[in-house]
């Protein structure tokens, strides 16, 4: 009887220990694979920078454009800001970002090291644009922490896997006052059954997780000099997410597909930039003074969308055969309202199928 009681208590202790692990350590990433470029739906793929591509009408880089701005970006309305040392966290709705009183070139290495130390491999590194992007990785903290897992998992760790993968993009925005803004955006994939028979699976995109974005921003604060206690207090003091009405919608302007946003330029520009990051566009350059993002887009090819089995089958498959198209995403504002339209590489309005799809992708993330 005593032995049975001891076993019961041991089982309860193990169960409570598992719960504690999930509550206190919810993030434990391990990259899916090293050194492989992913072919990621929904047809917004990452491509290497083409150094022969010059911004239409200018050969100035994003760094030079932003460094040459005469005025400092004005403070955003409805944005909460709290400072620890030289790091400020600001918030607008469900979006948070850091403002660091250091130039971007002094932050690049610490931020890059942070992601490597967090278990990620880097898929994209573009210092000239201030963009870092991780490879796809699995959050191992979501695995069940039972007795079998804790015993066999140490030896056969590869046998255990979740049905989700994540990747993160970090964007460093250089400001004219010498400070740097840091944005972290999340993209996720999940494995689902491909048919009712449940005899095969496919990987499909899942919604971005603002809480994960905030947590990694908090950890970057620690990497830049804040303490755990300070960073947690600052994030907690940001308050709850305010209830806001839907402020973005697809419309038509002068016969051209567009996104209409109930925001002035400063907030619209920032929100569109975050939307481009979350949806995986390859941003070649940007010119805030003209309200332009220069992007590359790979159209989907329905004939190549086979039902591939497994994560590596769907993500590490053949590269898209379609030639990448270059577009300009223009943010235009009049007073308290802004619009987003798609322009061709030559700066002329576009209304083709790709332009319509790009507008829908941006609008879906802004809602």
């Amino acid at each position: 009887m005593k032995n049975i009681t001891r076993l019961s208590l041991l089982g309860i202790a193990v169960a409570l220990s598992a719960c504690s692990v999930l509550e206190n350590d919810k993030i434990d990433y391990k990259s899916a694979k090293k050194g492989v470029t992913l072919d990621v739906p929904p047809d917004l793929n990452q491509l290497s920078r083409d150094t022969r591509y010059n911004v239409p009408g200018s050969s100035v880089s994003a760094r030079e454009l932003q460094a040459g701005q005469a005025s400092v970006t004005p403070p955003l309305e409805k944005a909460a800001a709290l400072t620890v040392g030289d790091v400020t966290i600001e918030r607008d709705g469900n979006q948070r970002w850091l403002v660091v009183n250091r130039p971007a070139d002094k932050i690049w290495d610490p931020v890059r090291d942070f992601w490597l130390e967090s278990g990620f491999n880097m898929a994209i590194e573009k210092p000239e644009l201030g963009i870092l992007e991780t490879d796809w990785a699995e959050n191992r903290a979501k695995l069940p922490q039972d007795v079998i897992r804790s015993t066999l998992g140490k030896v056969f760790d590869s046998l255990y896997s979740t049905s989700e993968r994540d990747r993160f993009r970090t964007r460093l925005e250089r400001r004219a006052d010498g400070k740097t803004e840091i944005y972290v955006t999340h993209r996720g994939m999940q494995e689902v059954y491909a048919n009712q028979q449940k005899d095969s699976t496919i990987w499909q995109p899942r919604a971005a997780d603002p809480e994960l974005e905030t947590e990694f921003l908090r950890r970057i604060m620690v990497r830049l000099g804040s303490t755990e206690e300070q960073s947690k207090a600052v994030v907690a003091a940001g308050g709850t997410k305010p209830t806001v009405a839907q402020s973005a919608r697809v419309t038509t302007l002068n016969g051209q597909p567009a996104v209409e946003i109930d925001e002035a330029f400063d907030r619209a520009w920032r929100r569109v930039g975050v939307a481009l990051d979350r949806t995986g566009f390859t941003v070649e350059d940007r010119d805030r003074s003209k309200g332009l993002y220069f992007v590359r887009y790979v159209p989907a090819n329905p004939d190549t969308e086979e039902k591939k089995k497994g994560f590596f089958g769907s993500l590490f498959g053949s590269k898209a055969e379609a030639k990448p198209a270059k577009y300009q995403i223009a943010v235009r504002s009049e007073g308290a309202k802004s619009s987003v339209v798609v322009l061709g590489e030559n700066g002329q309005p576009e209304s083709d199928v790709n332009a319509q799809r790009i507008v829908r992708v941006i609008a879906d993330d802004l809602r």
Side-chain angles (χ1 to χ4, degrees), residues 190-205:
Q190 62 183 350
E191 188 177 21
V192 298
Y193 286 111
N195 50 45
Q196 293 183 347
Q197 289 73 32
K198 298 184 178 181
D199 55 7
S200 64
T201 62
I202 58 175
W203 287 83
Q204 66 180 25

Side-chain angles (χ1 to χ4, degrees), residues 53-56 294 326-328 343-348 350:
Y53 173 52
N54 292 323
V55 177
F294 301 92
K326 296 171 183 177
Y327 292 94
Q328 300 177 24
L343 309 177
E345 183 180 1
N346 57 2
Q348 297 301 309
E350 288 282 353

Side-chain angles (χ1 to χ4, degrees), residues 293-359:
Y293 288 96
F294 301 92
V295 303
R296 301 174 77 181
Y297 173 79
V298 180
N301 185 351
D303 296 333
T304 63
E305 293 299 320
E306 303 288 345
K307 291 183 178 180
K308 303 172 185 176
K309 296 183 179 181
F311 180 72
F312 294 102
S314 60
L315 295 185
F316 295 102
S318 60
K319 296 182 180 179
E321 296 180 0
K323 182 179 179 180
K326 296 171 183 177
Y327 292 94
Q328 300 177 24
I329 308 299
V331 182
R332 299 166 176 167
S333 298
E334 291 186 9
K337 289 186 179 292
S338 300
S339 62
V340 181
V341 296
V342 180
L343 309 177
E345 183 180 1
N346 57 2
Q348 297 301 309
E350 288 282 353
S351 57
D352 60 7
V353 174
N354 284 343
Q356 296 173 19
R357 296 182 68 184
I358 291 172
V359 163

Side-chain angles (χ1 to χ4, degrees), residues 51-353:
T51 56
R52 296 170 296 176
Y53 173 52
N54 292 323
V55 177
S58 173
S59 60
V60 182
S61 69
R63 177 187 300 181
E64 293 168 333
L65 283 168
Q66 294 190 6
Q69 291 177 356
S71 59
V72 178
T73 303
L76 298 169
E77 299 177 0
K78 303 180 182 178
L82 294 166
T83 303
V84 176
D86 66 346
V87 182
T88 300
I89 186 167
E90 297 189 359
R91 179 177 185 176
D92 189 8
N94 69 345
Q95 295 178 359
R96 286 185 173 93
W97 64 99
L98 303 180
V99 179
V100 186
N101 191 13
R102 305 178 210 173
D105 59 351
K106 300 297 183 182
I107 299 175
W108 177 267
D109 286 340
V111 172
R112 180 181 182 276
D113 291 343
F114 163 79
W115 287 111
L116 294 175
E117 293 165 1
S118 299
F120 294 89
N121 296 316
M122 303 313 302
I124 296 175
E125 299 182 47
K126 295 185 176 181
E128 72 279 7
L129 288 178
I131 292 177
L132 280 166
E133 186 158 340
T134 71
D135 206 342
W136 291 98
E138 179 182 30
N139 187 359
R140 307 291 286 178
K142 289 188 175 183
L143 291 171
Q145 301 295 319
D146 54 25
V147 176
I148 297 177
R149 160 76 180 127
S150 60
T151 303
L152 298 181
K154 297 177 181 178
V155 181
F156 303 105
D157 188 64
S158 61
L159 296 177
Y160 292 85
S161 178
T162 67
S163 60
E164 297 179 352
R165 298 292 186 275
D166 301 293
R167 79 185 305 173
F168 298 87
R169 179 181 292 183
T170 305
R171 177 161 48 90
L172 308 182
E173 288 275 0
R174 302 168 177 85
R175 297 193 350 183
D177 59 357
K179 297 181 180 180
T180 304
E181 296 178 358
I182 303 178
Y183 297 87
V184 172
T185 48
H186 164 254
R187 292 166 63 199
M189 299 284 287
Q190 62 183 350
E191 188 177 21
V192 298
Y193 286 111
N195 50 45
Q196 293 183 347
Q197 289 73 32
K198 298 184 178 181
D199 55 7
S200 64
T201 62
I202 58 175
W203 287 83
Q204 66 180 25
R206 75 179 197 276
D209 189 337
E211 291 185 4
L212 266 179
E213 296 170 349
T214 298
E215 175 60 17
F216 276 111
L217 281 174
R218 185 194 69 77
R219 295 185 179 204
I220 290 175
M221 287 184 69
V222 175
R223 188 64 174 79
L224 294 177
S226 301
T227 66
E228 286 282 343
E229 294 73 17
Q230 289 173 330
S231 64
K232 290 179 180 179
V234 167
V235 170
T240 58
K241 175 184 174 182
T243 302
V244 293
Q246 187 179 57
S247 61
R249 53 201 162 271
V250 176
T251 185
T252 301
L253 296 176
N254 300 320
Q256 184 181 8
V259 182
E260 191 174 60
I261 309 173
D262 295 332
E263 307 281 5
F265 178 79
D266 289 332
R267 297 180 71 186
W269 172 260
R270 178 172 45 78
R271 291 185 64 194
V272 170
V274 171
L276 293 176
D277 288 339
R278 281 178 174 166
T279 49
F281 282 86
T282 299
V283 179
E284 286 286 332
D285 219 322
R286 52 187 178 267
D287 185 347
R288 189 181 185 281
S289 65
K290 297 180 180 178
L292 294 175
Y293 288 96
F294 301 92
V295 303
R296 301 174 77 181
Y297 173 79
V298 180
N301 185 351
D303 296 333
T304 63
E305 293 299 320
E306 303 288 345
K307 291 183 178 180
K308 303 172 185 176
K309 296 183 179 181
F311 180 72
F312 294 102
S314 60
L315 295 185
F316 295 102
S318 60
K319 296 182 180 179
E321 296 180 0
K323 182 179 179 180
K326 296 171 183 177
Y327 292 94
Q328 300 177 24
I329 308 299
V331 182
R332 299 166 176 167
S333 298
E334 291 186 9
K337 289 186 179 292
S338 300
S339 62
V340 181
V341 296
V342 180
L343 309 177
E345 183 180 1
N346 57 2
Q348 297 301 309
E350 288 282 353
S351 57
D352 60 7
V353 174

